[in-house]
Amino acid sequence: MEALVVRGINAPFTREKVARPIPGAGQVLVRVMASGVNPLDLKIRSGSAPHAKHPFPAVLGMDLAGVVESVGAGVSAFVEHDEVYGLTGGVGGLQGSLAEFVAVDADLLAPKPKNLSMREAASLPLIFITAWEGLIDRAQVQTRQKVLVQGVGGVGHMVIQIARAYGAEVFAVDRLKKHDLIERLGATSIDRQATSVEEYVGDHTAGEGFDVVYDTVGGAALDASFNAVRRFGQVVSCLGWGTHSLAPLSFRAASYSGVFTLLPMLSGTGRAHHGEILREATRLVEAGKVEPLIDPRQFSFSAVADAHREIENRTTVGKVVVDISG
């Protein structure tokens, strides 16, 4: 088969003939149709993501959508020709999705939503799982709660939609240019440059604070989250790195949870839960409650470097997806 291989830090993508993987026990061989591109892929390629533990030479690509080619021993959830999607590799030494075929742990896969194209489905796994783990697994969001989202990128726009599907009232802090997107998703837009934490807490919660705050930005946004949560509330973050004062959180007797979506792939433990989460994604997508936002430009298998460049230059609108086959 053909795969795109990166042989070292900041090395170019080289299109190479490599052995087609054979699915082992519990694995599925997937013909990759589309591969989602994430900012983390760029960090891995540049050597600035040691937490991903992906050695070189490497085949990158964490998200995929495709068709089951064959299954290994002990796999009963999928059969040949099933359309599937998942967050399956590109970290921890697991082969990524920038290849014609990949053998992946069946627990990491779910049936592709019938109302999505392969490209649309490939945009979902990492961002939906990250949003779900923070909002549902950690914060256990409830109907009529007030949820604040810091940053409306890939994860943030999933958090908004999942929270609304669970009956929460949602507010989102970002730049003014995201206003229309935020409102279209059904949340109240807050301009982060024009509105202080004290102002939006006062305006939208009568000074009480938000029940759940999901930070997708880190840094100052996480500090703001500690000041925006209500007493006994919950702050979650998928970028909770660095040094932060916990005093505002402690004085509210609030809780903090970190989200590390890669952990099941890196550790081998808990992978079935990722498949379960994506089955929930399929349910919500097919019910019309979640819709991915993808960049309209189509990048071919040979144009992955261009896709990375557009993400690096911040010219993308929505998730970037690379067409592999079809």
Side-chain angles (χ1 to χ4, degrees):
M1 71 170 185
E2 289 193 328
L4 292 177
V5 180
V6 177
R7 298 214 153 266
I9 292 175
N10 286 323
F13 291 99
T14 58
R15 192 164 180 162
E16 301 182 12
K17 288 281 189 180
V18 300
R20 181 189 297 192
I22 298 172
Q27 290 188 321
V28 172
L29 182 67
V30 178
R31 179 186 293 272
V32 183
M33 307 301 290
S35 172
V37 185
N38 297 283
L40 180 55
D41 294 315
L42 278 67
K43 293 178 181 178
I44 294 171
R45 186 181 172 204
S46 69
S48 58
H51 62 286
K53 300 180 181 178
H54 203 44
F56 295 103
V59 176
L60 304 181
M62 292 178 280
D63 296 318
L64 68 75
V67 179
V68 173
E69 188 80 4
S70 62
V71 300
V75 175
S76 59
F78 303 102
V79 298
E80 187 179 346
H81 304 309
D82 279 350
E83 295 186 338
V84 295
Y85 71 136
L87 173 66
T88 60
V91 299
L94 301 174
Q95 183 204 307
S97 53
L98 292 177
E100 292 180 304
F101 296 91
V102 60
V104 303
D105 189 331
D107 282 346
L108 294 170
L109 296 171
K112 180 184 78 66
K114 293 182 176 61
N115 55 338
L116 292 188
S117 67
M118 288 289 180
R119 294 185 73 245
E120 291 169 326
S123 75
L124 272 173
L126 176 63
I127 58 177
F128 187 94
I129 292 170
T130 303
W132 182 279
E133 287 188 337
L135 193 64
I136 306 300
D137 291 348
R138 308 288 189 273
Q140 299 180 347
V141 69
Q142 302 293 319
T143 301
R144 292 188 294 278
Q145 284 188 325
K146 290 190 174 186
V147 174
L148 180 70
V149 184
Q150 299 278 9
V152 184
V155 175
H157 92 286
M158 285 292 113
V159 174
I160 291 174
Q161 294 179 80
I162 296 169
R164 293 194 71 244
Y166 273 71
E169 185 180 5
V170 188
F171 305 80
V173 180
D174 209 310
R175 292 167 292 176
L176 185 60
K177 73 175 189 178
K178 294 285 186 78
H179 173 85
D180 290 347
L181 169 63
I182 291 167
E183 297 285 331
R184 180 168 65 80
L185 293 171
T188 298
S189 176
I190 300 170
D191 182 355
R192 75 180 184 198
Q193 292 177 310
T195 313
S196 69
V197 177
E198 293 75 16
E199 287 173 330
Y200 62 70
V201 169
D203 290 344
H204 301 297
T205 72
E208 293 295 320
F210 297 88
D211 299 290
V212 176
V213 183
Y214 198 131
D215 162 53
T216 72
V217 180
L222 182 52
D223 292 324
S225 300
F226 292 160
N227 285 287
V229 69
R230 70 163 177 83
R231 291 174 62 194
F232 310 114
Q234 177 78 48
V235 176
V236 294
S237 178
C238 57
L239 282 174
W241 306 343
T243 301
H244 300 270
S245 171
L246 297 180
L249 192 73
S250 299
F251 292 147
R252 290 168 172 80
S255 301
Y256 169 77
S257 297
V259 177
F260 186 34
T261 312
L262 305 184
L263 192 56
M265 289 191 292
L266 297 176
S267 68
T269 301
R271 292 181 178 179
H273 187 49
H274 275 194
E276 292 166 357
I277 293 172
L278 287 177
R279 282 175 167 80
E280 289 297 315
T282 295
R283 179 182 65 83
L284 290 173
V285 169
E286 291 182 347
K289 294 182 177 181
V290 168
E291 178 183 356
L293 175 66
I294 65 171
D295 191 279
R297 291 169 293 184
Q298 291 187 261
F299 296 92
S300 69
F301 192 39
S302 299
V304 174
D306 294 333
H308 276 225
R309 190 175 305 111
E310 296 305 322
I311 294 174
E312 188 174 20
N313 293 337
R314 300 181 180 273
T315 64
T316 59
V317 179
K319 185 78 171 275
V320 171
V321 178
V322 173
D323 298 312
I324 305 298
S325 303

